[in-house]
Amino acid sequence: MSASLRIAALCGSLREDSYNRAMLQAACDLSPEDVTVTIHDLAGTPLFNEDVEAKGWPEPVQALRDAMWNADGVIFGSPEYNFSIPGVLKNAIDWLFRPAGKGPLFGKPACLMGASQGAFGTLRAQMHLREVCHYNAMPVLAKPEILIMKAQDKFEDGTLSDETTRKLISTAMEKFAVLVRQHPST
């Protein structure tokens, strides 16, 4: 049997009851037994500033960086704001890729997921996120894509209730575990 995998999940929504946080919780619940997914809160992450970085990592940033260093892979769970990823997620990514080419996310396998009330899910946000991952040498799970559209119809009381979507996330987590295990640093 293979060693257990540690997966870090970053949510691009700060709302406690967001569909994306509930989607990431479903990923936790539907992961294979030997995979542990931990959702990390980005609410306390200060805005990226090179002057601050030069003085040392602020405590919330250091805690997040430590968690990412210890993770075997990362899930980005994000809504779509203005055809892109929310500022809170981009800000966290900016802290986590420093120094360039050597940060805790550089080269780490990634899985992209998103939930939206619109008809396109989070397609455009995930396209931008794929570019960010590509630049940072992160292999991204290609299929299945988790683009939850009309999320208001798929969640009840903060839980993903749509069985088709639950099966899709379960499949994605199984395939992501395979991708992470195939990655040379795991």
Side-chain angles (χ1 to χ4, degrees):
M1 176 151 156
S2 301
S4 294
L5 294 178
R6 297 165 307 211
I7 305 298
L10 300 179
C11 185
S13 175
L14 295 178
R15 284 188 332 105
E16 189 174 315
D17 296 328
S18 79
Y19 294 126
N20 285 278
R21 188 168 304 285
M23 173 195 64
L24 289 174
Q25 185 58 54
C28 294
D29 299 341
L30 298 169
S31 290
E33 283 187 27
D34 61 344
V35 175
T36 301
V37 178
T38 304
I39 302 170
H40 297 277
D41 187 11
L42 302 180
T45 308
L47 291 175
F48 177 75
N49 180 327
E50 285 188 49
D51 293 337
V52 173
E53 178 190 27
K55 295 174 186 171
W57 308 113
E59 190 280 321
V61 172
Q62 185 63 60
L64 190 57
R65 289 175 63 82
D66 290 345
M68 295 307 120
W69 280 119
N70 291 320
D72 300 305
V74 63
I75 300 171
F76 295 108
S78 183
E80 180 174 297
Y81 293 173
N82 297 307
F83 284 23
S84 190
I85 59 177
V88 67
L89 182 57
K90 178 64 169 72
N91 181 60
I93 290 169
D94 289 344
W95 280 112
L96 294 169
F97 282 119
R98 303 290 289 192
K102 298 177 185 171
L105 289 184
F106 188 82
K108 198 161 295 246
C111 178
L112 312 182
M113 299 183 178
S116 167
Q117 293 185 27
F120 296 105
T122 57
L123 179 66
R124 293 168 291 231
Q126 288 192 31
M127 287 172 37
H128 286 176
L129 197 46
R130 283 180 188 279
E131 290 177 23
V132 171
C133 290
H134 175 76
Y135 175 76
N136 289 284
M138 297 179 77
V140 176
L141 181 68
K143 298 287 181 182
E145 292 179 298
I146 308 299
L147 301 159
I148 303 173
M149 64 181 85
K150 299 185 180 182
Q152 66 275 18
D153 300 333
K154 298 184 175 145
F155 293 83
E156 291 180 26
D157 300 321
T159 301
L160 178 61
S161 57
D162 182 72
E163 261 325 296
T164 301
T165 306
R166 290 179 64 80
K167 287 178 186 170
L168 191 63
I169 289 176
S170 178
T171 299
M173 294 310 299
E174 290 171 11
K175 291 186 176 200
F176 188 49
V178 171
L179 175 68
V180 172
R181 287 190 199 292
Q182 291 172 342
H183 194 263
S185 68
T186 304

